[in-house]
mmCIF file of all heavy atoms in Angstrom:
data_model
loop_
_atom_site.group_PDB
_atom_site.id
_atom_site.type_symbol
_atom_site.label_atom_id
_atom_site.label_comp_id
_atom_site.label_asym_id
_atom_site.label_seq_id
_atom_site.Cartn_x
_atom_site.Cartn_y
_atom_site.Cartn_z
ATOM 1 N N VAL A 383 12.450 3.200 -1.089
ATOM 2 C CA VAL A 383 12.343 2.508 -2.366
ATOM 3 C C VAL A 383 11.663 3.395 -3.405
ATOM 4 O O VAL A 383 12.097 3.471 -4.566
ATOM 5 C CB VAL A 383 11.572 1.186 -2.193
ATOM 6 C CG1 VAL A 383 11.246 0.557 -3.549
ATOM 7 C CG2 VAL A 383 12.376 0.216 -1.346
ATOM 8 N N ILE A 386 14.091 6.066 -4.540
ATOM 9 C CA ILE A 386 15.087 5.518 -5.465
ATOM 10 C C ILE A 386 14.453 5.285 -6.833
ATOM 11 O O ILE A 386 15.053 5.595 -7.880
ATOM 12 C CB ILE A 386 15.682 4.212 -4.905
ATOM 13 C CG1 ILE A 386 16.527 4.514 -3.670
ATOM 14 C CG2 ILE A 386 16.527 3.498 -5.951
ATOM 15 C CD1 ILE A 386 17.011 3.278 -2.942
ATOM 16 N N GLY A 387 13.225 4.741 -6.840
ATOM 17 C CA GLY A 387 12.541 4.531 -8.111
ATOM 18 C C GLY A 387 12.326 5.828 -8.862
ATOM 19 O O GLY A 387 12.478 5.880 -10.093
ATOM 20 N N ALA A 388 11.982 6.902 -8.125
ATOM 21 C CA ALA A 388 11.781 8.204 -8.773
ATOM 22 C C ALA A 388 13.089 8.727 -9.362
ATOM 23 O O ALA A 388 13.104 9.309 -10.456
ATOM 24 C CB ALA A 388 11.216 9.201 -7.765
ATOM 25 N N LYS A 389 14.199 8.520 -8.649
ATOM 26 C CA LYS A 389 15.492 8.978 -9.165
ATOM 27 C C LYS A 389 15.938 8.161 -10.368
ATOM 28 O O LYS A 389 16.544 8.700 -11.305
ATOM 29 C CB LYS A 389 16.533 8.922 -8.053
ATOM 30 C CG LYS A 389 16.294 9.949 -6.950
ATOM 31 C CD LYS A 389 17.291 9.819 -5.816
ATOM 32 C CE LYS A 389 17.015 10.863 -4.734
ATOM 33 N NZ LYS A 389 17.944 10.741 -3.591
ATOM 34 N N VAL A 390 15.644 6.853 -10.356
ATOM 35 C CA VAL A 390 15.935 6.032 -11.531
ATOM 36 C C VAL A 390 15.118 6.528 -12.721
ATOM 37 O O VAL A 390 15.614 6.597 -13.852
ATOM 38 C CB VAL A 390 15.639 4.544 -11.246
ATOM 39 C CG1 VAL A 390 15.707 3.723 -12.532
ATOM 40 C CG2 VAL A 390 16.624 3.990 -10.224
ATOM 41 N N ALA A 391 13.854 6.910 -12.470
ATOM 42 C CA ALA A 391 13.003 7.426 -13.551
ATOM 43 C C ALA A 391 13.577 8.721 -14.111
ATOM 44 O O ALA A 391 13.564 8.933 -15.335
ATOM 45 C CB ALA A 391 11.586 7.651 -13.034
ATOM 46 N N ARG A 392 14.105 9.588 -13.240
ATOM 47 C CA ARG A 392 14.706 10.839 -13.733
ATOM 48 C C ARG A 392 15.960 10.548 -14.549
ATOM 49 O O ARG A 392 16.217 11.198 -15.574
ATOM 50 C CB ARG A 392 15.011 11.770 -12.557
ATOM 51 C CG ARG A 392 13.768 12.409 -11.947
ATOM 52 C CD ARG A 392 14.120 13.610 -11.088
ATOM 53 N NE ARG A 392 14.767 13.217 -9.858
ATOM 54 C CZ ARG A 392 14.123 12.938 -8.725
ATOM 55 N NH1 ARG A 392 12.804 12.988 -8.702
ATOM 56 N NH2 ARG A 392 14.778 12.606 -7.638
ATOM 57 N N ALA A 393 16.753 9.562 -14.093
ATOM 58 C CA ALA A 393 17.934 9.176 -14.869
ATOM 59 C C ALA A 393 17.515 8.610 -16.225
ATOM 60 O O ALA A 393 18.182 8.852 -17.245
ATOM 61 C CB ALA A 393 18.762 8.156 -14.092
ATOM 62 N N TYR A 394 16.411 7.871 -16.225
ATOM 63 C CA TYR A 394 15.902 7.316 -17.477
ATOM 64 C C TYR A 394 15.540 8.436 -18.460
ATOM 65 O O TYR A 394 15.920 8.399 -19.639
ATOM 66 C CB TYR A 394 14.696 6.429 -17.195
ATOM 67 C CG TYR A 394 13.863 6.116 -18.415
ATOM 68 C CD1 TYR A 394 14.263 5.146 -19.321
ATOM 69 C CD2 TYR A 394 12.668 6.794 -18.651
ATOM 70 C CE1 TYR A 394 13.504 4.864 -20.446
ATOM 71 C CE2 TYR A 394 11.901 6.518 -19.772
ATOM 72 C CZ TYR A 394 12.317 5.555 -20.663
ATOM 73 O OH TYR A 394 11.566 5.286 -21.779
ATOM 74 N N THR A 430 22.456 12.552 -9.496
ATOM 75 C CA THR A 430 22.165 11.119 -9.446
ATOM 76 C C THR A 430 22.845 10.332 -10.565
ATOM 77 O O THR A 430 22.764 9.101 -10.587
ATOM 78 C CB THR A 430 20.649 10.887 -9.532
ATOM 79 O OG1 THR A 430 20.150 11.530 -10.709
ATOM 80 C CG2 THR A 430 19.948 11.448 -8.309
ATOM 81 N N ILE A 431 23.486 11.024 -11.500
ATOM 82 C CA ILE A 431 24.157 10.351 -12.617
ATOM 83 C C ILE A 431 25.658 10.547 -12.481
ATOM 84 O O ILE A 431 26.154 11.668 -12.422
ATOM 85 C CB ILE A 431 23.656 10.886 -13.968
ATOM 86 C CG1 ILE A 431 22.180 10.526 -14.143
ATOM 87 C CG2 ILE A 431 24.480 10.286 -15.117
ATOM 88 C CD1 ILE A 431 21.579 11.019 -15.443
ATOM 89 N N THR A 443 25.245 4.594 -22.475
ATOM 90 C CA THR A 443 25.227 4.023 -21.129
ATOM 91 C C THR A 443 25.177 5.144 -20.104
ATOM 92 O O THR A 443 26.012 6.053 -20.128
ATOM 93 C CB THR A 443 26.457 3.147 -20.870
ATOM 94 O OG1 THR A 443 26.486 2.087 -21.829
ATOM 95 C CG2 THR A 443 26.411 2.553 -19.471
ATOM 96 N N VAL A 444 24.175 5.083 -19.215
ATOM 97 C CA VAL A 444 24.054 6.034 -18.114
ATOM 98 C C VAL A 444 24.366 5.289 -16.825
ATOM 99 O O VAL A 444 23.706 4.300 -16.497
ATOM 100 C CB VAL A 444 22.638 6.640 -18.057
ATOM 101 C CG1 VAL A 444 22.476 7.482 -16.798
ATOM 102 C CG2 VAL A 444 22.372 7.480 -19.289
ATOM 103 N N LYS A 445 25.377 5.749 -16.101
ATOM 104 C CA LYS A 445 25.758 5.125 -14.836
ATOM 105 C C LYS A 445 25.215 5.979 -13.694
ATOM 106 O O LYS A 445 25.519 7.168 -13.600
ATOM 107 C CB LYS A 445 27.274 5.011 -14.732
ATOM 108 C CG LYS A 445 27.765 4.271 -13.487
ATOM 109 C CD LYS A 445 29.289 4.171 -13.470
ATOM 110 C CE LYS A 445 29.785 3.244 -14.544
ATOM 111 N NZ LYS A 445 31.260 3.029 -14.439
ATOM 112 N N VAL A 446 24.376 5.363 -12.849
ATOM 113 C CA VAL A 446 23.732 6.116 -11.774
ATOM 114 C C VAL A 446 24.524 5.966 -10.482
ATOM 115 O O VAL A 446 25.261 4.997 -10.285
ATOM 116 C CB VAL A 446 22.279 5.646 -11.558
ATOM 117 C CG1 VAL A 446 21.457 5.827 -12.816
ATOM 118 C CG2 VAL A 446 22.239 4.192 -11.111
ATOM 119 N N THR A 447 24.372 6.935 -9.607
ATOM 120 C CA THR A 447 24.960 6.870 -8.269
ATOM 121 C C THR A 447 23.857 7.124 -7.265
ATOM 122 O O THR A 447 23.510 8.267 -6.959
ATOM 123 C CB THR A 447 26.111 7.886 -8.117
ATOM 124 O OG1 THR A 447 26.537 7.901 -6.755
ATOM 125 C CG2 THR A 447 25.709 9.287 -8.561
ATOM 126 N N LEU A 448 23.280 6.025 -6.767
ATOM 127 C CA LEU A 448 22.130 6.076 -5.876
ATOM 128 C C LEU A 448 22.336 5.098 -4.732
ATOM 129 O O LEU A 448 23.095 4.132 -4.862
ATOM 130 C CB LEU A 448 20.845 5.693 -6.639
ATOM 131 C CG LEU A 448 20.401 6.610 -7.774
ATOM 132 C CD1 LEU A 448 19.281 5.961 -8.556
ATOM 133 C CD2 LEU A 448 19.961 7.957 -7.232
ATOM 134 N N PRO A 449 21.671 5.323 -3.592
ATOM 135 C CA PRO A 449 21.724 4.335 -2.508
ATOM 136 C C PRO A 449 21.269 2.963 -3.001
ATOM 137 O O PRO A 449 20.236 2.844 -3.658
ATOM 138 C CB PRO A 449 20.752 4.911 -1.466
ATOM 139 C CG PRO A 449 20.706 6.370 -1.748
ATOM 140 C CD PRO A 449 20.880 6.515 -3.230
ATOM 141 N N MET A 450 22.057 1.943 -2.713
ATOM 142 C CA MET A 450 21.793 0.563 -3.107
ATOM 143 C C MET A 450 21.970 0.313 -4.603
ATOM 144 O O MET A 450 21.859 -0.813 -5.060
ATOM 145 C CB MET A 450 20.385 0.105 -2.680
ATOM 146 C CG MET A 450 20.136 0.173 -1.174
ATOM 147 S SD MET A 450 18.536 -0.521 -0.703
ATOM 148 C CE MET A 450 17.419 0.637 -1.486
ATOM 149 N N LEU A 451 22.231 1.360 -5.379
ATOM 150 C CA LEU A 451 22.378 1.201 -6.830
ATOM 151 C C LEU A 451 23.653 1.880 -7.331
ATOM 152 O O LEU A 451 23.685 2.395 -8.451
ATOM 153 C CB LEU A 451 21.161 1.782 -7.566
ATOM 154 C CG LEU A 451 19.807 1.122 -7.310
ATOM 155 C CD1 LEU A 451 18.711 1.849 -8.066
ATOM 156 C CD2 LEU A 451 19.829 -0.346 -7.702
ATOM 157 N N GLU A 452 24.676 1.886 -6.521
ATOM 158 C CA GLU A 452 25.921 2.540 -6.912
ATOM 159 C C GLU A 452 26.502 1.875 -8.156
ATOM 160 O O GLU A 452 26.672 0.650 -8.220
ATOM 161 C CB GLU A 452 26.931 2.475 -5.766
ATOM 162 C CG GLU A 452 28.208 3.248 -6.019
ATOM 163 C CD GLU A 452 27.988 4.748 -6.052
ATOM 164 O OE1 GLU A 452 27.048 5.214 -5.375
ATOM 165 O OE2 GLU A 452 28.756 5.443 -6.732
ATOM 166 N N ASP A 453 26.798 2.690 -9.185
ATOM 167 C CA ASP A 453 27.421 2.249 -10.433
ATOM 168 C C ASP A 453 26.550 1.293 -11.247
ATOM 169 O O ASP A 453 27.056 0.599 -12.132
ATOM 170 C CB ASP A 453 28.789 1.606 -10.174
ATOM 171 C CG ASP A 453 29.824 2.611 -9.692
ATOM 172 O OD1 ASP A 453 29.630 3.824 -9.925
ATOM 173 O OD2 ASP A 453 30.818 2.190 -9.079
ATOM 174 N N ARG A 454 25.239 1.261 -10.987
ATOM 175 C CA ARG A 454 24.351 0.494 -11.862
ATOM 176 C C ARG A 454 24.078 1.309 -13.133
ATOM 177 O O ARG A 454 24.239 2.531 -13.141
ATOM 178 C CB ARG A 454 23.031 0.173 -11.152
ATOM 179 C CG ARG A 454 23.195 -0.544 -9.810
ATOM 180 C CD ARG A 454 23.707 -1.963 -9.977
ATOM 181 N NE ARG A 454 23.884 -2.622 -8.697
ATOM 182 C CZ ARG A 454 22.961 -3.367 -8.108
ATOM 183 N NH1 ARG A 454 21.784 -3.542 -8.685
ATOM 184 N NH2 ARG A 454 23.200 -3.936 -6.945
ATOM 185 N N THR A 455 23.635 0.639 -14.195
ATOM 186 C CA THR A 455 23.563 1.321 -15.486
ATOM 187 C C THR A 455 22.222 1.141 -16.180
ATOM 188 O O THR A 455 21.523 0.138 -15.994
ATOM 189 C CB THR A 455 24.666 0.795 -16.432
ATOM 190 O OG1 THR A 455 24.523 -0.624 -16.573
ATOM 191 C CG2 THR A 455 26.045 1.125 -15.892
ATOM 192 N N LEU A 456 21.901 2.142 -16.996
ATOM 193 C CA LEU A 456 20.815 2.080 -17.976
ATOM 194 C C LEU A 456 21.452 2.165 -19.353
ATOM 195 O O LEU A 456 22.376 2.958 -19.562
ATOM 196 C CB LEU A 456 19.835 3.247 -17.784
ATOM 197 C CG LEU A 456 19.077 3.323 -16.453
ATOM 198 C CD1 LEU A 456 18.409 4.676 -16.308
ATOM 199 C CD2 LEU A 456 18.041 2.215 -16.377
ATOM 200 N N ARG A 457 20.976 1.349 -20.292
ATOM 201 C CA ARG A 457 21.583 1.318 -21.627
ATOM 202 C C ARG A 457 20.526 1.522 -22.704
ATOM 203 O O ARG A 457 19.412 1.009 -22.601
ATOM 204 C CB ARG A 457 22.296 -0.018 -21.867
ATOM 205 C CG ARG A 457 23.593 -0.147 -21.090
ATOM 206 C CD ARG A 457 24.225 -1.514 -21.301
ATOM 207 N NE ARG A 457 24.457 -1.816 -22.709
ATOM 208 C CZ ARG A 457 25.510 -1.391 -23.399
ATOM 209 N NH1 ARG A 457 26.422 -0.617 -22.808
ATOM 210 N NH2 ARG A 457 25.666 -1.698 -24.665
ATOM 211 N N TRP A 458 20.902 2.308 -23.706
ATOM 212 C CA TRP A 458 20.064 2.510 -24.885
ATOM 213 C C TRP A 458 20.808 1.967 -26.107
ATOM 214 O O TRP A 458 21.907 2.435 -26.432
ATOM 215 C CB TRP A 458 19.755 3.997 -25.097
ATOM 216 C CG TRP A 458 18.683 4.515 -24.205
ATOM 217 C CD1 TRP A 458 17.376 4.707 -24.510
ATOM 218 C CD2 TRP A 458 18.830 4.936 -22.845
ATOM 219 N NE1 TRP A 458 16.692 5.202 -23.432
ATOM 220 C CE2 TRP A 458 17.565 5.361 -22.383
ATOM 221 C CE3 TRP A 458 19.906 4.992 -21.959
ATOM 222 C CZ2 TRP A 458 17.346 5.824 -21.107
ATOM 223 C CZ3 TRP A 458 19.696 5.458 -20.672
ATOM 224 C CH2 TRP A 458 18.425 5.870 -20.254
ATOM 225 N N CYS A 472 15.701 0.523 -24.577
ATOM 226 C CA CYS A 472 16.287 0.746 -23.244
ATOM 227 C C CYS A 472 16.251 -0.549 -22.439
ATOM 228 O O CYS A 472 15.279 -1.309 -22.484
ATOM 229 C CB CYS A 472 15.531 1.844 -22.504
ATOM 230 S SG CYS A 472 16.125 2.117 -20.817
ATOM 231 N N SER A 473 17.303 -0.786 -21.674
ATOM 232 C CA SER A 473 17.360 -1.943 -20.779
ATOM 233 C C SER A 473 18.370 -1.650 -19.679
ATOM 234 O O SER A 473 19.064 -0.632 -19.713
ATOM 235 C CB SER A 473 17.769 -3.214 -21.540
ATOM 236 O OG SER A 473 19.081 -3.074 -22.060
ATOM 237 N N SER A 474 18.426 -2.547 -18.705
ATOM 238 C CA SER A 474 19.427 -2.427 -17.641
ATOM 239 C C SER A 474 19.905 -3.817 -17.264
ATOM 240 O O SER A 474 19.076 -4.695 -16.980
ATOM 241 C CB SER A 474 18.858 -1.725 -16.414
ATOM 242 O OG SER A 474 19.805 -1.745 -15.357
ATOM 243 N N PRO A 475 21.212 -4.036 -17.233
ATOM 244 C CA PRO A 475 21.721 -5.358 -16.863
ATOM 245 C C PRO A 475 21.772 -5.608 -15.363
ATOM 246 O O PRO A 475 21.932 -6.752 -14.932
ATOM 247 C CB PRO A 475 23.129 -5.360 -17.465
ATOM 248 C CG PRO A 475 23.538 -3.924 -17.417
ATOM 249 C CD PRO A 475 22.286 -3.134 -17.673
ATOM 250 N N ASP A 476 21.644 -4.553 -14.546
ATOM 251 C CA ASP A 476 21.887 -4.738 -13.120
ATOM 252 C C ASP A 476 20.931 -3.990 -12.195
ATOM 253 O O ASP A 476 21.083 -4.051 -10.977
ATOM 254 C CB ASP A 476 23.332 -4.346 -12.779
ATOM 255 C CG ASP A 476 23.735 -3.023 -13.410
ATOM 256 O OD1 ASP A 476 22.840 -2.237 -13.773
ATOM 257 O OD2 ASP A 476 24.956 -2.782 -13.546
ATOM 258 N N ILE A 477 19.944 -3.263 -12.731
ATOM 259 C CA ILE A 477 18.937 -2.605 -11.897
ATOM 260 C C ILE A 477 17.694 -3.497 -11.860
ATOM 261 O O ILE A 477 17.241 -3.955 -12.905
ATOM 262 C CB ILE A 477 18.575 -1.213 -12.438
ATOM 263 C CG1 ILE A 477 19.787 -0.284 -12.372
ATOM 264 C CG2 ILE A 477 17.418 -0.598 -11.640
ATOM 265 C CD1 ILE A 477 19.540 1.097 -12.940
ATOM 266 N N PRO A 478 17.151 -3.799 -10.665
ATOM 267 C CA PRO A 478 15.961 -4.655 -10.593
ATOM 268 C C PRO A 478 14.833 -4.138 -11.483
ATOM 269 O O PRO A 478 14.587 -2.930 -11.540
ATOM 270 C CB PRO A 478 15.574 -4.605 -9.113
ATOM 271 C CG PRO A 478 16.846 -4.261 -8.396
ATOM 272 C CD PRO A 478 17.606 -3.369 -9.329
ATOM 273 N N GLN A 479 14.163 -5.052 -12.140
ATOM 274 C CA GLN A 479 13.138 -4.661 -13.106
ATOM 275 C C GLN A 479 12.025 -3.843 -12.459
ATOM 276 O O GLN A 479 11.486 -2.925 -13.080
ATOM 277 C CB GLN A 479 12.558 -5.914 -13.765
ATOM 278 C CG GLN A 479 11.524 -5.619 -14.844
ATOM 279 C CD GLN A 479 11.037 -6.873 -15.530
ATOM 280 O OE1 GLN A 479 11.727 -7.871 -15.559
ATOM 281 N NE2 GLN A 479 9.831 -6.830 -16.063
ATOM 282 N N TRP A 480 11.672 -4.169 -11.215
ATOM 283 C CA TRP A 480 10.568 -3.451 -10.568
ATOM 284 C C TRP A 480 10.911 -2.010 -10.233
ATOM 285 O O TRP A 480 10.019 -1.220 -9.913
ATOM 286 C CB TRP A 480 10.112 -4.196 -9.316
ATOM 287 C CG TRP A 480 11.203 -4.497 -8.328
ATOM 288 C CD1 TRP A 480 12.018 -5.578 -8.314
ATOM 289 C CD2 TRP A 480 11.595 -3.698 -7.210
ATOM 290 N NE1 TRP A 480 12.892 -5.527 -7.261
ATOM 291 C CE2 TRP A 480 12.652 -4.374 -6.555
ATOM 292 C CE3 TRP A 480 11.163 -2.492 -6.683
ATOM 293 C CZ2 TRP A 480 13.283 -3.875 -5.423
ATOM 294 C CZ3 TRP A 480 11.788 -1.994 -5.552
ATOM 295 C CH2 TRP A 480 12.823 -2.678 -4.929
ATOM 296 N N LEU A 481 12.201 -1.640 -10.317
ATOM 297 C CA LEU A 481 12.598 -0.246 -10.121
ATOM 298 C C LEU A 481 12.691 0.525 -11.435
ATOM 299 O O LEU A 481 12.851 1.743 -11.415
ATOM 300 C CB LEU A 481 13.954 -0.178 -9.407
ATOM 301 C CG LEU A 481 13.960 -0.317 -7.885
ATOM 302 C CD1 LEU A 481 15.380 -0.354 -7.361
ATOM 303 C CD2 LEU A 481 13.174 0.815 -7.229
ATOM 304 N N LEU A 482 12.601 -0.184 -12.555
ATOM 305 C CA LEU A 482 12.771 0.461 -13.856
ATOM 306 C C LEU A 482 11.465 1.100 -14.318
ATOM 307 O O LEU A 482 10.381 0.574 -14.067
ATOM 308 C CB LEU A 482 13.229 -0.558 -14.889
ATOM 309 C CG LEU A 482 14.621 -1.158 -14.709
ATOM 310 C CD1 LEU A 482 14.846 -2.271 -15.720
ATOM 311 C CD2 LEU A 482 15.697 -0.080 -14.839
ATOM 312 N N PRO A 483 11.548 2.226 -15.027
ATOM 313 C CA PRO A 483 10.343 2.785 -15.655
ATOM 314 C C PRO A 483 9.811 1.831 -16.713
ATOM 315 O O PRO A 483 10.562 1.006 -17.249
ATOM 316 C CB PRO A 483 10.856 4.096 -16.287
ATOM 317 C CG PRO A 483 12.145 4.392 -15.616
ATOM 318 C CD PRO A 483 12.738 3.073 -15.233
ATOM 319 N N CYS A 486 11.687 1.047 -19.938
ATOM 320 C CA CYS A 486 12.989 0.379 -19.885
ATOM 321 C C CYS A 486 12.865 -1.070 -19.410
ATOM 322 O O CYS A 486 13.856 -1.685 -19.051
ATOM 323 C CB CYS A 486 13.925 1.153 -18.952
ATOM 324 S SG CYS A 486 15.669 1.046 -19.423
ATOM 325 N N ARG A 487 11.649 -1.591 -19.415
ATOM 326 C CA ARG A 487 11.430 -2.966 -18.977
ATOM 327 C C ARG A 487 11.214 -3.871 -20.179
ATOM 328 O O ARG A 487 10.583 -3.479 -21.145
ATOM 329 C CB ARG A 487 10.202 -3.065 -18.076
ATOM 330 C CG ARG A 487 10.295 -2.306 -16.784
ATOM 331 C CD ARG A 487 8.992 -2.430 -16.033
ATOM 332 N NE ARG A 487 8.954 -1.559 -14.874
ATOM 333 C CZ ARG A 487 7.862 -1.319 -14.163
ATOM 334 N NH1 ARG A 487 6.729 -1.903 -14.504
ATOM 335 N NH2 ARG A 487 7.898 -0.511 -13.118
ATOM 336 N N PRO A 488 11.685 -5.097 -20.121
ATOM 337 C CA PRO A 488 11.335 -6.057 -21.176
ATOM 338 C C PRO A 488 9.828 -6.324 -21.116
ATOM 339 O O PRO A 488 9.242 -6.326 -20.031
ATOM 340 C CB PRO A 488 12.121 -7.312 -20.807
ATOM 341 C CG PRO A 488 13.158 -6.849 -19.835
ATOM 342 C CD PRO A 488 12.596 -5.664 -19.132
#
Side-chain angles (χ1 to χ4, degrees):
V383 171
I386 292 173
K389 291 177 180 178
V390 170
R392 287 197 289 271
Y394 164 79
T430 55
I431 295 180
T443 301
V444 172
K445 184 179 291 186
V446 300
T447 173
L448 296 170
M450 301 186 294
L451 296 178
E452 186 68 29
D453 292 339
R454 305 291 179 93
T455 57
L456 297 167
R457 287 177 56 82
W458 281 261
C472 177
S473 63
S474 174
D476 46 20
I477 296 178
Q479 183 176 335
W480 54 273
L481 278 175
L482 293 173
C486 211
R487 297 177 188 169

